Amino acid sequence: MRGHERELSGAASSVYGSSLTQREVHTQQPAQSFYRLVIEPVHFGCRRRFGFAFGLAGLVLALNLFGSANLSLNERLLASLIIIVCALPSWLWLAGNDLALPFMPFMGMVFTVYYAAPLFLLRDYTTVWSRSPLPHTFVARSLELVLTGLLCIYAGYYGPVAVLLSTLIARRQMAWRRIGNVKFNGLLFGTAGLLLFTGERALSLPLSFVQLLSFASDLCLLGACILFALQLTNGIGFACGFFLWGVLVPVRLWLGLGTGLTSEGLIIALLLIFTYASVRHRLPWLIIIIGGLSFCVIRPAEQSFRGLTWRGGMMENATVADKSVLLAGMIRETLSESIYGLDGTADDMVQFSMRRLGTDTLTLADVLHDTPRIVPYWNGATYYPLLFKPLPRILFPDKPEEVTGQAFGHRYGLLNQSNFETSYNLPQLIEGYVNFGLPGVVLSMLLFGILYRLVQLTFIHENMGFGSLISGIYLSVKLLQIESATSLVLGDVIWTLVFLSIVNLMIKWTEKAGSNSAI
């Protein structure tokens, strides 16, 4: 059957029609076709540029005119400037000046959501750990630091250092050529990942096995990414399409939300949106906006859901499926109450969600207030776990546990001193400051910018293949976790590279073994 099987050649004319014929993608080698597919921008002429600029100006103006009156003038100017600066990578990418995956545009959106936009919607700057509002002086200072960190990321990503270092890195060439084989593995990964994700939470296993199972369950996300990218480029047929959109995506979404962590559910949505943007070279603004609105509904419902299903709750020992059904009902109830004004209002729902998103800026303001006057600098202590990240716990059971979330929360009084169950996120930008002050922010954000660029250069190049595209997308989405500590993110990156290498070897082996007959 191998002799009759089509090769995976970057993009199929059946999907893109004559536009690909004009680009002559079908005459290129497969790896070159995928590189052309990724770097070829849509027409970003005067009309689109005007629409982009008009939409950005409208957003900033609307937030200032119709948002909360709580912001001071300095806070308004700084938050507005951060939003504008965060939009620059989208402009550069759409215009074809950034020949890579849309990582930086998404990074800009994430920065906007965590550090700037929520401040326009909050009635006050009280937090879950402070009964009185944080002083505006420190909130403005935190925004200045955010802007500084953002510009340092840009300097690392767009500057010459990353380009010079790129000569020292190996370019990954992962050419998965057989459509049937890739489709088979996508179905296999998706199915196996769902089973592992369910088993991880249903079984009582040692910590080392739980971590291994958690990582393996990401096969579900990888399978969804493979199938969707294949659907966008070559097509996957009705049966595989039904499995992807009728089974894999909705089940993984609800099982993820059923854990009580919004990020566990929405990660698959983010991955698919990123995949679409990478292959079609356009940013699906409508879907992104709908996703943001969905967060405002899901997040308040999950707060009550956690009280019922986490430790001490009446449904703590319920199955993942039962928890997901409970959450679905709570989301529906929350939405109904908001629409009909029964026990709450839409404004209350937005306030709850925005307070959660705006925590990073307010946390930084609290840190600026205390450091180093009350709390001394950490002098690199939070980076210490990086030394142990390459060591698998299954082989080294005594490996020190990552406790940054607990240590940070207690050090700054953000967690009750008797609370040893809740983890308080330490975002990378704040981590740089609590360790070394302003120099720590500048250096850490500069290094992250260089890392982001090196990842793109490693996977996106003229000799890339379909596997390189999938790996680059998957790793890029992992790196968008700017709210997590450096050791958590970089440790995840290290093992993700190992994970992707194993996946690549498996797919290449099945190509040679002729498993395409299964399709």
Side-chain angles (χ1 to χ4, degrees), residues 98 100-101 103-104 106-108 110-111 149-150 152-154 156-158 162 169 428-429 444-460 472 475-484 486 489-490 493:
D98 181 11
L101 298 175
F103 175 81
M104 288 304 289
F106 277 82
M107 173 60 69
V110 172
F111 251 82
L150 186 62
C152 289
I153 290 177
Y154 290 0
Y157 184 88
Y158 296 108
I169 63 174
Q428 296 142 27
L429 188 148
S444 63
M445 294 297 98
L446 182 67
L447 291 176
F448 265 106
I450 293 173
L451 172 65
Y452 299 152
R453 187 62 174 179
L454 291 180
V455 167
Q456 299 301 310
L457 292 172
T458 298
F459 291 99
I460 309 303
L475 189 55
S476 294
V477 172
K478 290 272 188 178
L479 284 170
L480 288 173
Q481 302 175 72
I482 65 171
E483 200 183 11
S484 297
T486 300
V489 174
L490 295 188
V493 167

Side-chain angles (χ1 to χ4, degrees), residues 122-196:
L122 290 172
R123 299 193 197 106
D124 56 63
Y125 292 157
T126 56
T127 63
V128 293
W129 67 88
S130 175
R131 297 300 180 185
S132 59
L134 290 165
H136 286 275
T137 303
F138 289 99
V139 175
R141 281 184 56 192
S142 71
L143 289 172
E144 292 173 357
L145 205 58
V146 169
L147 182 59
T148 300
L150 186 62
L151 293 176
C152 289
I153 290 177
Y154 290 0
Y157 184 88
Y158 296 108
V161 177
V163 177
L164 292 175
L165 290 176
S166 67
T167 59
L168 304 177
I169 63 174
R171 305 297 177 93
R172 299 301 304 271
Q173 184 179 1
M174 303 165 74
W176 304 344
R177 299 181 183 276
R178 303 290 180 181
I179 294 177
N181 186 69
V182 174
K183 189 192 302 183
F184 169 76
N185 281 284
L187 293 169
L188 178 64
F189 294 160
T191 304
L194 280 181
L195 294 175
L196 290 170

Side-chain angles (χ1 to χ4, degrees), residues 167-235:
T167 59
L168 304 177
I169 63 174
R171 305 297 177 93
R172 299 301 304 271
Q173 184 179 1
M174 303 165 74
W176 304 344
R177 299 181 183 276
R178 303 290 180 181
I179 294 177
N181 186 69
V182 174
K183 189 192 302 183
F184 169 76
N185 281 284
L187 293 169
L188 178 64
F189 294 160
T191 304
L194 280 181
L195 294 175
L196 290 170
F197 189 84
T198 305
E200 175 195 349
R201 286 150 181 82
L203 302 176
S204 179
L205 297 171
L207 179 61
S208 57
F209 286 97
V210 169
Q211 291 181 339
L212 182 61
L213 201 60
S214 176
F215 211 90
S217 68
D218 271 9
L219 282 171
C220 175
L221 302 177
L222 195 64
C225 182
I226 289 172
L227 291 175
F228 187 40
L230 195 61
Q231 184 180 49
L232 291 172
T233 54
N234 288 270

Side-chain angles (χ1 to χ4, degrees), residues 23 32-42 92-102 277-281 456 460-462 464 469:
R23 296 181 194 176
Q32 295 173 325
S33 296
F34 278 111
Y35 183 62
R36 288 283 305 277
L37 180 69
V38 170
I39 70 171
E40 188 77 17
V42 296
L92 294 174
W93 183 75
L94 290 171
N97 299 119
D98 181 11
L99 303 180
L101 298 175
S278 301
V279 175
R280 291 295 176 87
H281 210 101
Q456 299 301 310
I460 309 303
H461 51 85
E462 292 184 355
M464 65 181 287
L469 173 65

Side-chain angles (χ1 to χ4, degrees), residues 289-350:
I289 293 172
I290 291 174
L293 295 176
S294 299
F295 176 86
C296 293
V297 176
I298 295 172
R299 189 62 184 85
E302 281 213 326
Q303 186 68 17
S304 302
F305 173 78
R306 291 179 181 182
L308 293 173
T309 58
W310 282 18
R311 184 173 299 183
M314 59 185 298
M315 292 192 65
E316 177 186 357
N317 298 319
T319 65
V320 176
D322 288 340
K323 290 179 180 179
S324 298
V325 171
L326 173 66
L327 178 61
M330 297 181 76
I331 291 175
R332 184 171 58 251
E333 182 180 351
T334 301
L335 185 59
S336 298
E337 289 176 352
S338 174
I339 292 174
Y340 297 108
L342 299 177
D343 295 322
T345 64
D347 184 59
D348 291 333
M349 191 166 61
V350 170

